[in-house]
Amino acid sequence: MIPRLTLQKLVSPSFSLSEAEQLRQALTQTPKTIPPQYFYDDRGSQLFEQICLQPEYYLTNTEMQLLETVAPLLPQQTRACELVELGSGSSRKTNIILDAYQREGLPLRYTPIDISSSILELSAKHLLQNYPNLEVHGIVATYEQALAHLPPATLPCRLLYFLGSSLGNFNRHQCDVFFTQVADGLQGGDYFLLGIDLHKDPRILEAAYNDAQGVTAQFNLNILTHLNRRFGANFVPDRFRHVALYNQIEWQIEMYLESTIPQDVYIQGLDLRLHLEAGERILSEISRKFNLDQISQELTTKGFKPIATWQDQRGWFGLTLVQKC
Ligand SMILES: C[S@@+](CC[C@H](N)C(=O)[O-])C[C@H]1O[C@@H](n2cnc3c(N)ncnc32)[C@H](O)[C@@H]1O
Protein backbone atom coordinates (compact mmCIF):
# COMPACT_ATOMS: atom_id res chain seq x y z
CA MET A 1 0.00 0.00 0.00
CA ILE A 2 1.37 3.48 -0.90
CA PRO A 3 1.85 5.63 2.27
CA ARG A 4 -0.34 8.74 2.23
CA LEU A 5 2.36 10.86 3.86
CA THR A 6 5.95 11.04 2.65
CA LEU A 7 8.56 13.55 3.81
CA GLN A 8 11.71 14.83 2.19
CA LYS A 9 14.13 16.84 4.37
CA LEU A 10 16.62 19.09 2.63
CA VAL A 11 17.57 21.19 5.68
CA SER A 12 19.26 20.01 8.89
CA PRO A 13 18.72 21.31 12.46
CA SER A 14 22.31 22.63 12.54
CA PHE A 15 23.63 24.98 9.87
CA SER A 16 25.49 24.66 6.58
CA LEU A 17 28.52 26.70 5.55
CA SER A 18 26.42 28.72 3.10
CA GLU A 19 23.88 29.56 5.85
CA ALA A 20 26.72 30.66 8.13
CA GLU A 21 28.19 32.82 5.37
CA GLN A 22 24.78 34.34 4.57
CA LEU A 23 24.25 35.22 8.26
CA ARG A 24 27.75 36.67 8.63
CA GLN A 25 27.22 38.94 5.62
CA ALA A 26 23.82 40.02 6.91
CA LEU A 27 25.10 40.86 10.41
CA THR A 28 28.15 42.73 9.21
CA GLN A 29 26.37 45.00 6.70
CA THR A 30 24.86 48.41 7.53
CA PRO A 31 22.28 48.30 8.96
CA LYS A 32 22.93 44.91 10.57
CA THR A 33 20.34 42.45 9.26
CA ILE A 34 19.01 38.97 10.11
CA PRO A 35 17.49 36.88 7.27
CA PRO A 36 13.77 36.54 8.10
CA GLN A 37 13.76 32.76 7.63
CA TYR A 38 15.22 32.56 11.18
CA PHE A 39 11.88 33.68 12.61
CA TYR A 40 10.62 30.16 12.06
CA ASP A 41 11.78 27.70 14.68
CA ASP A 42 9.04 25.75 16.54
CA ARG A 43 8.17 28.71 18.78
CA GLY A 44 8.36 31.21 15.92
CA SER A 45 5.89 29.13 13.89
CA GLN A 46 3.50 29.02 16.88
CA LEU A 47 3.83 32.77 17.41
CA PHE A 48 3.08 33.42 13.74
CA GLU A 49 -0.15 31.42 14.13
CA GLN A 50 -1.08 33.72 17.05
CA ILE A 51 -0.24 36.81 14.98
CA CYS A 52 -2.78 35.62 12.40
CA LEU A 53 -5.47 35.76 15.11
CA GLN A 54 -4.73 39.35 16.18
CA PRO A 55 -7.47 41.81 15.16
CA GLU A 56 -4.92 44.28 13.75
CA TYR A 57 -3.34 41.63 11.47
CA TYR A 58 -5.90 41.94 8.65
CA LEU A 59 -3.78 40.00 6.13
CA THR A 60 -4.82 36.43 7.01
CA ASN A 61 -8.57 36.99 7.28
CA THR A 62 -8.71 39.19 4.21
CA GLU A 63 -6.82 36.68 2.08
CA MET A 64 -8.88 33.75 3.39
CA GLN A 65 -12.16 35.53 2.57
CA LEU A 66 -10.86 36.29 -0.91
CA LEU A 67 -9.79 32.65 -1.34
CA GLU A 68 -13.34 31.49 -0.48
CA THR A 69 -14.47 33.29 -3.65
CA VAL A 70 -11.51 32.39 -5.82
CA ALA A 71 -10.92 28.73 -4.82
CA PRO A 72 -13.97 27.29 -6.72
CA LEU A 73 -12.59 28.79 -9.94
CA LEU A 74 -9.20 27.08 -9.58
CA PRO A 75 -10.18 23.44 -10.31
CA GLN A 76 -12.32 24.65 -13.24
CA GLN A 77 -9.21 26.27 -14.69
CA THR A 78 -6.52 23.69 -13.84
CA ARG A 79 -8.49 20.40 -13.73
CA ALA A 80 -6.50 17.52 -12.13
CA CYS A 81 -3.34 19.00 -10.69
CA GLU A 82 -0.91 18.65 -7.84
CA LEU A 83 -1.17 21.44 -5.25
CA VAL A 84 2.24 22.72 -4.17
CA GLU A 85 2.48 25.35 -1.43
CA LEU A 86 5.57 27.42 -0.68
CA GLY A 87 5.88 28.45 3.00
CA SER A 88 2.85 26.32 3.89
CA GLY A 89 3.00 26.91 7.68
CA SER A 90 -0.26 25.67 9.24
CA SER A 91 -1.72 25.03 5.73
CA ARG A 92 -4.90 26.75 6.94
CA LYS A 93 -5.59 28.33 3.54
CA THR A 94 -5.05 24.99 1.82
CA ASN A 95 -8.27 23.67 3.38
CA ILE A 96 -10.21 26.15 1.26
CA ILE A 97 -8.39 25.05 -1.91
CA LEU A 98 -8.65 21.32 -1.14
CA ASP A 99 -12.41 21.69 -0.53
CA ALA A 100 -12.80 23.17 -4.01
CA TYR A 101 -10.89 20.29 -5.69
CA GLN A 102 -12.77 17.72 -3.59
CA ARG A 103 -16.15 19.18 -4.64
CA GLU A 104 -15.13 18.70 -8.30
CA GLY A 105 -14.17 15.05 -7.57
CA LEU A 106 -10.56 15.65 -8.63
CA PRO A 107 -7.59 13.74 -7.15
CA LEU A 108 -6.11 15.38 -4.06
CA ARG A 109 -2.33 15.55 -3.96
CA TYR A 110 -0.58 18.21 -1.87
CA THR A 111 3.11 19.11 -1.56
CA PRO A 112 3.70 21.53 1.33
CA ILE A 113 7.13 23.17 1.44
CA ASP A 114 8.38 24.84 4.61
CA ILE A 115 11.63 25.44 6.41
CA SER A 116 9.96 24.65 9.76
CA SER A 117 9.58 20.86 9.98
CA SER A 118 7.42 20.77 13.13
CA ILE A 119 4.56 22.84 11.71
CA LEU A 120 4.77 21.12 8.33
CA GLU A 121 4.43 17.62 9.83
CA LEU A 122 1.68 18.62 12.24
CA SER A 123 -0.43 20.32 9.60
CA ALA A 124 0.10 17.47 7.10
CA LYS A 125 -1.26 15.00 9.69
CA HIS A 126 -4.32 17.18 10.34
CA LEU A 127 -5.05 17.41 6.64
CA LEU A 128 -4.77 13.62 6.20
CA GLN A 129 -7.35 13.14 8.95
CA ASN A 130 -9.76 15.58 7.31
CA TYR A 131 -9.33 14.42 3.70
CA PRO A 132 -9.37 10.57 3.43
CA ASN A 133 -8.39 10.67 -0.28
CA LEU A 134 -5.51 13.07 0.14
CA GLU A 135 -1.84 12.18 -0.45
CA VAL A 136 0.81 14.50 1.00
CA HIS A 137 4.47 14.74 0.08
CA GLY A 138 6.07 17.31 2.43
CA ILE A 139 9.38 18.97 1.65
CA VAL A 140 11.28 20.54 4.56
CA ALA A 141 13.46 23.01 2.70
CA THR A 142 14.04 26.61 1.75
CA TYR A 143 12.00 27.90 -1.19
CA GLU A 144 15.14 27.87 -3.31
CA GLN A 145 16.10 24.28 -2.43
CA ALA A 146 12.57 22.94 -2.94
CA LEU A 147 12.04 24.69 -6.28
CA ALA A 148 15.29 23.18 -7.51
CA HIS A 149 14.36 19.66 -6.28
CA LEU A 150 10.65 19.25 -6.99
CA PRO A 151 10.03 15.52 -7.63
CA PRO A 152 8.44 14.64 -11.00
CA ALA A 153 4.74 15.58 -11.06
CA THR A 154 2.33 12.64 -10.80
CA LEU A 155 -0.73 14.52 -12.10
CA PRO A 156 -1.09 16.35 -15.45
CA CYS A 157 -0.03 19.72 -14.02
CA ARG A 158 0.88 21.66 -10.89
CA LEU A 159 -0.66 24.60 -9.11
CA LEU A 160 2.14 26.23 -7.10
CA TYR A 161 0.95 28.83 -4.59
CA PHE A 162 2.67 31.35 -2.36
CA LEU A 163 0.27 33.09 0.00
CA GLY A 164 0.29 35.46 2.97
CA SER A 165 2.27 38.09 1.02
CA SER A 166 5.49 36.34 2.01
CA LEU A 167 6.78 37.76 -1.30
CA GLY A 168 6.99 41.07 0.58
CA ASN A 169 9.93 39.75 2.60
CA PHE A 170 12.10 39.88 -0.54
CA ASN A 171 13.72 43.08 -1.73
CA ARG A 172 13.40 43.93 -5.44
CA HIS A 173 16.45 41.93 -6.47
CA GLN A 174 15.51 38.89 -4.33
CA CYS A 175 11.98 39.06 -5.79
CA ASP A 176 13.36 38.96 -9.31
CA VAL A 177 15.60 35.97 -8.47
CA PHE A 178 12.66 34.21 -6.77
CA PHE A 179 10.38 34.64 -9.82
CA THR A 180 13.13 33.11 -11.98
CA GLN A 181 13.39 30.15 -9.57
CA VAL A 182 9.60 29.68 -9.68
CA ALA A 183 9.60 29.80 -13.49
CA ASP A 184 12.50 27.32 -13.66
CA GLY A 185 10.83 24.96 -11.17
CA LEU A 186 7.60 24.71 -13.21
CA GLN A 187 6.77 23.06 -16.55
CA GLY A 188 4.83 24.64 -19.43
CA GLY A 189 1.10 24.54 -18.55
CA ASP A 190 1.68 24.66 -14.77
CA TYR A 191 0.04 27.45 -12.74
CA PHE A 192 1.32 29.91 -10.13
CA LEU A 193 -1.04 31.62 -7.65
CA LEU A 194 0.42 34.48 -5.64
CA GLY A 195 -1.17 36.36 -2.70
CA ILE A 196 0.07 39.91 -2.09
CA ASP A 197 -0.65 42.70 0.35
CA LEU A 198 -1.60 45.91 -1.47
CA HIS A 199 -0.81 49.60 -0.77
CA LYS A 200 -3.02 51.17 1.90
CA ASP A 201 -3.17 53.76 4.69
CA PRO A 202 0.15 53.54 6.63
CA ARG A 203 -1.77 53.67 9.93
CA ILE A 204 -3.46 50.35 9.10
CA LEU A 205 -0.10 48.86 8.11
CA GLU A 206 1.76 50.01 11.22
CA ALA A 207 -1.03 48.76 13.51
CA ALA A 208 -0.84 45.32 11.86
CA TYR A 209 2.82 44.93 12.83
CA ASN A 210 2.43 46.47 16.32
CA ASP A 211 -0.49 44.47 17.72
CA ALA A 212 -1.76 45.53 21.15
CA GLN A 213 -1.10 42.08 22.66
CA GLY A 214 2.59 42.32 21.75
CA VAL A 215 2.61 39.01 19.87
CA THR A 216 4.55 40.45 16.91
CA ALA A 217 7.07 41.85 19.38
CA GLN A 218 7.56 38.36 20.88
CA PHE A 219 7.84 36.91 17.38
CA ASN A 220 10.51 39.47 16.49
CA LEU A 221 12.52 38.89 19.70
CA ASN A 222 12.30 35.10 19.29
CA ILE A 223 14.61 35.34 16.26
CA LEU A 224 17.45 36.08 18.73
CA THR A 225 16.67 32.97 20.81
CA HIS A 226 16.69 30.94 17.59
CA LEU A 227 20.12 32.32 16.61
CA ASN A 228 21.41 31.54 20.13
CA ARG A 229 20.38 27.89 19.79
CA ARG A 230 21.30 27.37 16.17
CA PHE A 231 24.54 29.36 15.92
CA GLY A 232 25.69 29.38 19.57
CA ALA A 233 25.12 33.14 19.94
CA ASN A 234 24.63 34.93 23.27
CA PHE A 235 21.98 37.54 22.43
CA VAL A 236 19.98 38.60 25.51
CA PRO A 237 16.49 39.31 24.10
CA ASP A 238 15.63 41.56 27.07
CA ARG A 239 18.27 44.00 25.87
CA PHE A 240 16.33 44.64 22.64
CA ARG A 241 12.96 46.13 21.80
CA HIS A 242 10.63 45.54 18.86
CA VAL A 243 10.20 48.41 16.37
CA ALA A 244 7.99 48.26 13.23
CA LEU A 245 7.65 51.32 10.97
CA TYR A 246 6.24 52.04 7.52
CA ASN A 247 8.86 53.40 5.12
CA GLN A 248 6.84 55.60 2.72
CA ILE A 249 9.67 55.88 0.20
CA GLU A 250 10.25 52.14 -0.15
CA TRP A 251 6.55 51.27 0.41
CA GLN A 252 7.45 48.68 3.01
CA ILE A 253 7.07 47.86 6.68
CA GLU A 254 10.47 47.55 8.28
CA MET A 255 10.79 45.50 11.44
CA TYR A 256 13.79 46.06 13.68
CA LEU A 257 15.32 44.84 16.94
CA GLU A 258 16.60 47.94 18.67
CA SER A 259 19.45 47.57 21.16
CA THR A 260 18.39 49.31 24.39
CA ILE A 261 21.98 49.57 25.73
CA PRO A 262 25.51 49.53 24.32
CA GLN A 263 26.43 45.84 24.17
CA ASP A 264 28.64 43.14 22.67
CA VAL A 265 27.36 39.85 21.30
CA TYR A 266 29.42 36.78 20.35
CA ILE A 267 28.22 34.27 17.75
CA GLN A 268 30.28 31.15 18.30
CA GLY A 269 29.21 29.32 15.12
CA LEU A 270 30.51 32.24 13.04
CA ASP A 271 33.33 33.22 15.43
CA LEU A 272 31.90 36.73 15.09
CA ARG A 273 31.86 39.49 17.69
CA LEU A 274 29.31 42.27 17.22
CA HIS A 275 29.12 45.63 18.94
CA LEU A 276 25.79 47.43 19.14
CA GLU A 277 25.30 51.02 20.28
CA ALA A 278 22.28 51.97 22.40
CA GLY A 279 19.47 52.72 19.93
CA GLU A 280 21.16 50.80 17.08
CA ARG A 281 18.70 48.73 15.05
CA ILE A 282 19.04 45.29 13.48
CA LEU A 283 16.71 44.91 10.48
CA SER A 284 14.84 41.60 10.89
CA GLU A 285 12.16 41.89 8.19
CA ILE A 286 10.88 44.00 5.37
CA SER A 287 7.30 43.53 4.27
CA ARG A 288 6.82 45.24 0.92
CA LYS A 289 3.38 46.35 -0.24
CA PHE A 290 2.44 45.87 -3.87
CA ASN A 291 0.43 46.94 -6.88
CA LEU A 292 -1.39 43.92 -8.35
CA ASP A 293 -1.01 44.90 -12.03
CA GLN A 294 2.68 45.62 -11.61
CA ILE A 295 3.38 42.20 -10.10
CA SER A 296 1.34 40.41 -12.78
CA GLN A 297 3.34 42.35 -15.38
CA GLU A 298 6.65 41.32 -13.76
CA LEU A 299 5.57 37.68 -13.96
CA THR A 300 4.96 37.97 -17.71
CA THR A 301 8.64 38.92 -18.14
CA LYS A 302 9.49 35.52 -16.57
CA GLY A 303 7.49 33.54 -19.13
CA PHE A 304 4.06 33.47 -17.46
CA LYS A 305 0.70 34.22 -19.08
CA PRO A 306 -1.79 36.17 -16.90
CA ILE A 307 -5.00 34.21 -16.26
CA ALA A 308 -6.84 36.34 -13.66
CA THR A 309 -6.40 38.76 -10.78
CA TRP A 310 -8.72 39.31 -7.82
CA GLN A 311 -8.85 41.67 -4.86
CA ASP A 312 -11.14 42.05 -1.86
CA GLN A 313 -13.81 44.78 -1.72
CA ARG A 314 -11.57 47.17 0.24
CA GLY A 315 -8.70 46.63 -2.22
CA TRP A 316 -6.41 45.58 0.64
CA PHE A 317 -5.21 42.20 -0.60
CA GLY A 318 -4.75 40.69 -4.06
CA LEU A 319 -4.35 37.32 -5.75
CA THR A 320 -2.91 36.78 -9.19
CA LEU A 321 -3.06 33.53 -11.18
CA VAL A 322 -0.62 33.02 -14.05
CA GLN A 323 0.28 30.05 -16.25
CA LYS A 324 3.75 29.03 -17.39
CA CYS A 325 3.92 29.31 -21.19
C1 LIG B 1 4.40 34.37 6.97
S1 LIG B 1 4.29 32.64 7.15
C2 LIG B 1 2.98 32.32 5.99
C3 LIG B 1 2.29 31.00 6.25
C4 LIG B 1 1.14 30.70 5.30
N1 LIG B 1 1.61 30.54 3.93
C5 LIG B 1 0.11 31.79 5.35
O1 LIG B 1 -0.14 32.37 4.30
O2 LIG B 1 -0.44 32.04 6.41
C6 LIG B 1 5.71 32.13 6.25
C7 LIG B 1 5.94 30.62 6.23
O3 LIG B 1 7.03 30.36 5.35
C8 LIG B 1 8.04 29.61 5.99
N2 LIG B 1 9.32 30.16 5.50
C9 LIG B 1 9.87 31.36 5.77
N3 LIG B 1 11.00 31.55 5.08
C10 LIG B 1 11.17 30.42 4.35
C11 LIG B 1 12.14 30.00 3.41
N4 LIG B 1 13.17 30.79 3.07
N5 LIG B 1 11.99 28.80 2.82
C12 LIG B 1 10.94 27.97 3.15
N6 LIG B 1 9.98 28.31 4.03
C13 LIG B 1 10.09 29.53 4.62
C14 LIG B 1 7.85 29.81 7.47
O4 LIG B 1 8.30 28.72 8.24
C15 LIG B 1 6.34 30.04 7.57
O5 LIG B 1 5.64 28.85 7.81
Side-chain angles (χ1 to χ4, degrees):
M1 196 171 139
I2 302 169
R4 289 174 60 216
L5 173 62
T6 49
L7 279 178
Q8 189 181 350
K9 288 199 184 185
L10 303 178
V11 288
S12 69
S14 74
F15 58 87
S16 64
L17 280 179
S18 65
E19 283 173 314
E21 194 42 42
Q22 180 202 36
L23 182 62
R24 172 190 298 282
Q25 275 186 14
L27 283 170
T28 50
Q29 69 190 35
T30 308
K32 295 180 178 67
T33 303
I34 301 174
Q37 71 200 55
Y38 293 112
F39 282 128
Y40 298 97
D41 60 355
D42 293 357
R43 175 149 169 76
S45 295
Q46 286 163 7
L47 285 167
F48 180 73
E49 289 311 299
Q50 285 182 40
I51 289 175
C52 294
L53 303 175
Q54 300 309 303
E56 298 92 338
Y57 197 77
Y58 61 85
L59 287 88
T60 306
N61 275 344
T62 311
E63 188 180 33
M64 283 182 72
Q65 280 167 20
L66 187 56
L67 268 178
E68 294 282 1
T69 313
V70 168
L73 308 173
L74 297 174
Q76 290 167 16
Q77 174 71 39
T78 68
R79 303 314 298 163
C81 80
E82 182 184 322
L83 304 173
V84 183
E85 181 172 17
L86 287 170
S88 48
S90 69
S91 299
R92 73 173 73 198
K93 295 165 190 166
T94 288
N95 285 285
I96 304 172
I97 299 178
L98 281 173
D99 286 345
Y101 280 82
Q102 185 161 262
R103 278 196 298 270
E104 293 283 324
L106 292 168
L108 302 182
R109 187 169 165 84
Y110 174 50
T111 302
I113 294 164
D114 205 289
I115 201 164
S116 178
S117 64
S118 57
I119 194 152
L120 184 147
E121 286 182 45
L122 192 69
S123 45
K125 285 175 185 158
H126 277 145
L127 286 173
L128 289 169
Q129 278 168 7
N130 294 339
Y131 297 89
N133 297 324
L134 175 66
E135 282 174 27
V136 177
H137 176 70
I139 309 182
V140 181
T142 63
Y143 308 133
E144 183 182 359
Q145 288 170 326
L147 286 167
H149 294 97
L150 281 179
T154 53
L155 289 171
C157 75
R158 279 189 163 125
L159 169 63
L160 177 74
Y161 50 100
F162 191 41
L163 304 176
S165 204
S166 293
L167 185 76
N169 300 150
F170 299 142
N171 64 29
R172 270 169 224 281
H173 170 68
Q174 290 165 335
C175 189
D176 188 68
V177 171
F178 172 74
F179 282 164
T180 303
Q181 289 164 351
V182 169
D184 290 350
L186 296 178
Q187 306 285 324
D190 287 347
Y191 293 87
F192 180 44
L193 177 72
L194 178 64
I196 48 175
D197 198 16
L198 304 177
H199 297 300
K200 61 183 66 62
D201 186 331
R203 285 168 298 185
I204 299 166
L205 293 170
E206 287 195 347
Y209 294 82
N210 288 289
D211 62 275
Q213 295 293 318
V215 184
T216 309
Q218 287 179 55
F219 174 73
N220 197 6
L221 289 160
N222 179 64
I223 204 170
L224 299 176
T225 313
H226 187 191
L227 292 189
N228 285 351
R229 192 177 56 254
R230 192 148 177 170
F231 291 91
N234 64 355
F235 285 101
V236 180
D238 287 353
R239 296 183 185 159
F240 292 85
R241 76 176 188 100
H242 162 78
V243 175
L245 303 165
Y246 185 62
N247 178 332
Q248 305 221 19
I249 296 166
E250 297 293 337
W251 289 346
Q252 63 191 23
I253 285 283
E254 293 171 0
M255 212 152 86
Y256 296 96
L257 288 156
E258 186 178 284
S259 176
T260 53
I261 51 166
Q263 56 178 314
D264 293 307
V265 177
Y266 180 60
I267 302 155
Q268 193 179 29
L270 309 182
D271 190 19
L272 177 68
R273 221 166 274 285
L274 291 180
H275 176 74
L276 290 135
E277 300 294 346
E280 184 175 344
R281 291 174 178 174
I282 304 177
L283 179 65
S284 51
E285 182 180 272
I286 59 168
S287 187
R288 290 170 60 213
K289 305 302 159 189
F290 298 101
N291 171 298
L292 197 48
D293 292 338
Q294 197 180 330
I295 285 294
S296 307
Q297 180 56 35
E298 275 179 42
L299 284 165
T300 62
T301 68
K302 300 290 178 186
F304 288 100
K305 177 174 77 169
I307 302 293
T309 59
W310 303 270
Q311 51 182 291
D312 64 292
Q313 283 178 348
R314 294 181 296 194
W316 283 13
F317 206 94
L319 287 167
T320 180
L321 178 68
V322 293
Q323 185 176 28
K324 176 98 185 278
C325 299

